[in-house]
PDB file of all heavy atoms in Angstrom:
ATOM      1  N   VAL A 186      -7.437  -1.872   5.856  1.00  0.00           N
ATOM      2  CA  VAL A 186      -6.627  -2.044   4.636  1.00  0.00           C
ATOM      3  C   VAL A 186      -5.902  -0.712   4.306  1.00  0.00           C
ATOM      4  O   VAL A 186      -4.667  -0.721   4.022  1.00  0.00           O
ATOM      5  CB  VAL A 186      -7.530  -2.533   3.466  1.00  0.00           C
ATOM      6  CG1 VAL A 186      -6.720  -2.536   2.199  1.00  0.00           C
ATOM      7  CG2 VAL A 186      -8.057  -3.878   3.730  1.00  0.00           C
ATOM      8  N   GLN A 187      -6.622   0.394   4.391  1.00  0.00           N
ATOM      9  CA  GLN A 187      -5.927   1.655   4.036  1.00  0.00           C
ATOM     10  C   GLN A 187      -4.903   1.920   5.042  1.00  0.00           C
ATOM     11  O   GLN A 187      -3.824   2.499   4.654  1.00  0.00           O
ATOM     12  CB  GLN A 187      -6.966   2.809   4.130  1.00  0.00           C
ATOM     13  CG  GLN A 187      -7.973   2.857   3.015  1.00  0.00           C
ATOM     14  CD  GLN A 187      -8.773   4.092   2.944  1.00  0.00           C
ATOM     15  OE1 GLN A 187      -8.267   5.144   3.301  1.00  0.00           O
ATOM     16  NE2 GLN A 187      -9.969   4.020   2.390  1.00  0.00           N
ATOM     17  N   THR A 188      -5.024   1.617   6.273  1.00  0.00           N
ATOM     18  CA  THR A 188      -4.000   1.930   7.329  1.00  0.00           C
ATOM     19  C   THR A 188      -2.753   1.100   7.031  1.00  0.00           C
ATOM     20  O   THR A 188      -1.644   1.557   7.075  1.00  0.00           O
ATOM     21  CB  THR A 188      -4.551   1.539   8.770  1.00  0.00           C
ATOM     22  OG1 THR A 188      -5.650   2.375   9.012  1.00  0.00           O
ATOM     23  CG2 THR A 188      -3.451   1.790   9.838  1.00  0.00           C
ATOM     24  N   ALA A 189      -2.930  -0.194   6.599  1.00  0.00           N
ATOM     25  CA  ALA A 189      -1.759  -1.037   6.248  1.00  0.00           C
ATOM     26  C   ALA A 189      -1.097  -0.460   4.992  1.00  0.00           C
ATOM     27  O   ALA A 189       0.164  -0.321   4.896  1.00  0.00           O
ATOM     28  CB  ALA A 189      -2.272  -2.426   6.020  1.00  0.00           C
ATOM     29  N   ALA A 190      -1.932  -0.052   3.956  1.00  0.00           N
ATOM     30  CA  ALA A 190      -1.387   0.559   2.763  1.00  0.00           C
ATOM     31  C   ALA A 190      -0.519   1.772   2.995  1.00  0.00           C
ATOM     32  O   ALA A 190       0.516   1.921   2.302  1.00  0.00           O
ATOM     33  CB  ALA A 190      -2.539   0.819   1.773  1.00  0.00           C
ATOM     34  N   ALA A 191      -1.017   2.522   3.942  1.00  0.00           N
ATOM     35  CA  ALA A 191      -0.331   3.798   4.241  1.00  0.00           C
ATOM     36  C   ALA A 191       1.157   3.590   4.699  1.00  0.00           C
ATOM     37  O   ALA A 191       1.967   4.510   4.606  1.00  0.00           O
ATOM     38  CB  ALA A 191      -1.114   4.645   5.194  1.00  0.00           C
ATOM     39  N   THR A 192       1.507   2.411   5.239  1.00  0.00           N
ATOM     40  CA  THR A 192       2.742   2.153   5.742  1.00  0.00           C
ATOM     41  C   THR A 192       3.685   1.801   4.653  1.00  0.00           C
ATOM     42  O   THR A 192       4.946   1.756   4.851  1.00  0.00           O
ATOM     43  CB  THR A 192       2.840   1.012   6.879  1.00  0.00           C
ATOM     44  OG1 THR A 192       2.480  -0.136   6.216  1.00  0.00           O
ATOM     45  CG2 THR A 192       1.914   1.367   7.966  1.00  0.00           C
ATOM     46  N   PHE A 193       3.158   1.499   3.435  1.00  0.00           N
ATOM     47  CA  PHE A 193       3.985   1.113   2.306  1.00  0.00           C
ATOM     48  C   PHE A 193       4.016   2.133   1.090  1.00  0.00           C
ATOM     49  O   PHE A 193       4.978   2.234   0.399  1.00  0.00           O
ATOM     50  CB  PHE A 193       3.516  -0.167   1.782  1.00  0.00           C
ATOM     51  CG  PHE A 193       3.627  -1.413   2.618  1.00  0.00           C
ATOM     52  CD1 PHE A 193       2.641  -1.830   3.397  1.00  0.00           C
ATOM     53  CD2 PHE A 193       4.929  -2.022   2.744  1.00  0.00           C
ATOM     54  CE1 PHE A 193       2.809  -2.864   4.237  1.00  0.00           C
ATOM     55  CE2 PHE A 193       5.038  -3.102   3.527  1.00  0.00           C
ATOM     56  CZ  PHE A 193       3.926  -3.552   4.329  1.00  0.00           C
ATOM     57  N   PHE A 194       2.856   2.877   0.958  1.00  0.00           N
ATOM     58  CA  PHE A 194       2.630   3.562  -0.201  1.00  0.00           C
ATOM     59  C   PHE A 194       2.231   5.017   0.041  1.00  0.00           C
ATOM     60  O   PHE A 194       1.680   5.405   1.089  1.00  0.00           O
ATOM     61  CB  PHE A 194       1.540   2.901  -1.095  1.00  0.00           C
ATOM     62  CG  PHE A 194       1.748   1.488  -1.222  1.00  0.00           C
ATOM     63  CD1 PHE A 194       0.980   0.527  -0.591  1.00  0.00           C
ATOM     64  CD2 PHE A 194       2.776   0.930  -2.007  1.00  0.00           C
ATOM     65  CE1 PHE A 194       1.114  -0.866  -0.715  1.00  0.00           C
ATOM     66  CE2 PHE A 194       3.013  -0.346  -2.165  1.00  0.00           C
ATOM     67  CZ  PHE A 194       2.158  -1.263  -1.529  1.00  0.00           C
ATOM     68  N   ARG A 195       2.451   5.900  -0.912  1.00  0.00           N
ATOM     69  CA  ARG A 195       1.965   7.340  -0.861  1.00  0.00           C
ATOM     70  C   ARG A 195       0.514   7.451  -1.229  1.00  0.00           C
ATOM     71  O   ARG A 195      -0.119   8.426  -0.862  1.00  0.00           O
ATOM     72  CB  ARG A 195       2.799   8.151  -1.857  1.00  0.00           C
ATOM     73  CG  ARG A 195       4.335   8.213  -1.524  1.00  0.00           C
ATOM     74  CD  ARG A 195       4.946   9.433  -2.234  1.00  0.00           C
ATOM     75  NE  ARG A 195       6.340   9.385  -2.181  1.00  0.00           N
ATOM     76  CZ  ARG A 195       7.119   9.130  -3.182  1.00  0.00           C
ATOM     77  NH1 ARG A 195       6.590   9.078  -4.416  1.00  0.00           N
ATOM     78  NH2 ARG A 195       8.335   9.010  -3.060  1.00  0.00           N
ATOM     79  N   GLY A 196       0.002   6.431  -1.932  1.00  0.00           N
ATOM     80  CA  GLY A 196      -1.355   6.504  -2.253  1.00  0.00           C
ATOM     81  C   GLY A 196      -1.780   5.224  -2.951  1.00  0.00           C
ATOM     82  O   GLY A 196      -0.904   4.415  -3.404  1.00  0.00           O
ATOM     83  N   CYS A 197      -3.067   4.882  -2.944  1.00  0.00           N
ATOM     84  CA  CYS A 197      -3.575   3.737  -3.620  1.00  0.00           C
ATOM     85  C   CYS A 197      -4.910   3.975  -4.312  1.00  0.00           C
ATOM     86  O   CYS A 197      -5.709   4.777  -3.836  1.00  0.00           O
ATOM     87  CB  CYS A 197      -3.826   2.615  -2.561  1.00  0.00           C
ATOM     88  SG  CYS A 197      -2.280   2.004  -1.816  1.00  0.00           S
ATOM     89  N   ARG A 198      -5.076   3.280  -5.439  1.00  0.00           N
ATOM     90  CA  ARG A 198      -6.256   3.467  -6.197  1.00  0.00           C
ATOM     91  C   ARG A 198      -7.316   2.365  -5.923  1.00  0.00           C
ATOM     92  O   ARG A 198      -6.942   1.161  -5.731  1.00  0.00           O
ATOM     93  CB  ARG A 198      -5.881   3.327  -7.714  1.00  0.00           C
ATOM     94  CG  ARG A 198      -6.834   4.018  -8.699  1.00  0.00           C
ATOM     95  CD  ARG A 198      -6.928   3.244  -9.950  1.00  0.00           C
ATOM     96  NE  ARG A 198      -7.581   1.977  -9.797  1.00  0.00           N
ATOM     97  CZ  ARG A 198      -7.233   0.879 -10.387  1.00  0.00           C
ATOM     98  NH1 ARG A 198      -6.354   0.883 -11.333  1.00  0.00           N
ATOM     99  NH2 ARG A 198      -7.925  -0.256 -10.143  1.00  0.00           N
TER     100      ARG A 198
END
Side-chain angles (χ1 to χ4, degrees):
V186 170
Q187 288 194 28
T188 300
T192 66
F193 296 96
F194 311 110
R195 295 200 192 112
C197 291
R198 205 212 68 217

